[in-house]
């Protein structure tokens, strides 16, 4: 095994007199060259005593594969980073428009209403982010209550369209709705599907360049219905 970290751990364990056991995390490439993480516990053994001092002559190491835990840690770190970034945007907008109002830059009623509308929409966006975090926590805890009822899918998608539309207008994105003219009856948890549609549209708006186009569609797919 070509792993310098592992060799150094064994050598240090064998020769260090203060402690006969050491623990470290090392990366070792598998047979396909992919790096995997291991928790390595090394312990010295054997050796003779001279002048009351034990001289170690060997060391053994036990490796425990922690690659899955490391991957979970990486994903959590990315998730926290993404959430922090997502929250900064609406917070920055809210703060900016509050400062404009406080400085008296909104001299007429129409301008004040425009500023307040932006603040309100960004506060709603922040609330959706918080609700997403709470939903994730509930899902991981296994305490999500799913309340299915008969609904019109198009009605749910139309509401999602209205929620995200202000964000599209800010980026001058052409925001199109091509919902099926047919009644698409579904048995769903309305809040969950609405949140899914809002997330889908929000991501589309976020990653579409300014002045681009975003379209939401609903349609019958064989024996099911879908939206995209």
């Amino acid at each position: 095994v070509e792993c310098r970290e592992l060799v150094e751990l064994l050598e240090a364990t064998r020769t260090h007199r203060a402690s006969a056991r050491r623990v470290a995390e090392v990366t070792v490439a598998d047979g396909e060259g992919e790096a995997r993480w291991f928790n390595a516990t090394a312990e010295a053994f054997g050796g003779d005593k001279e002048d009351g001092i034990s001289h170690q002559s060997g060391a053994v190491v036990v490796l425990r594969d922690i690659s899955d835990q490391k991957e979970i840690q990486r994903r959590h770190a990315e998730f926290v980073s993404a959430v922090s970034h997502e929250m900064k945007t609406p917070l920055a907008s809210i703060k900016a428009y509050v400062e404009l109002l406080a400085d008296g830059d909104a001299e007429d009623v129409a301008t004040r209403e425009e500023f307040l509308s932006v603040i309100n929409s960004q506060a709603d966006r922040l609330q959706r982010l918080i609700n997403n975090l709470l939903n994730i926590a509930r899902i991981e805890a296994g305490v999500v209550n799913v309340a299915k009822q008969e609904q019109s899918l198009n009605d749910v998608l139309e509401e999602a369209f209205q929620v995200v539309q202000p964000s599209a207008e800010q980026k001058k994105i052409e925001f199109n709705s091509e919902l099926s003219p047919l009644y698409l009856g579904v048995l769903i948890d309305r809040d969950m599907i609405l949140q899914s549609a809002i997330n889908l549209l929000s991501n589309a708006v976020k990653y579409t360049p300014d002045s681009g186009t975003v379209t939401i569609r609903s349609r019958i797919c064989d024996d099911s219905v879908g939206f995209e």
Side-chain angles (χ1 to χ4, degrees), residues 162-173:
Q162 297 297 330
V163 169
V164 181
Q165 191 169 21
S167 299
E169 291 175 351
Q170 287 181 1
K171 294 184 64 177
K172 295 181 172 58
I173 287 176

Side-chain angles (χ1 to χ4, degrees), residues 1-15 24-29 40 61 63:
V1 175
E2 295 184 9
C3 177
R4 188 60 199 168
E5 296 168 298
L6 197 56
V7 173
E8 290 175 352
L9 175 66
L10 286 165
E11 289 178 343
T13 303
R14 187 178 64 83
T15 59
E25 290 184 357
V26 300
T27 54
V28 180
V61 64
L63 299 177

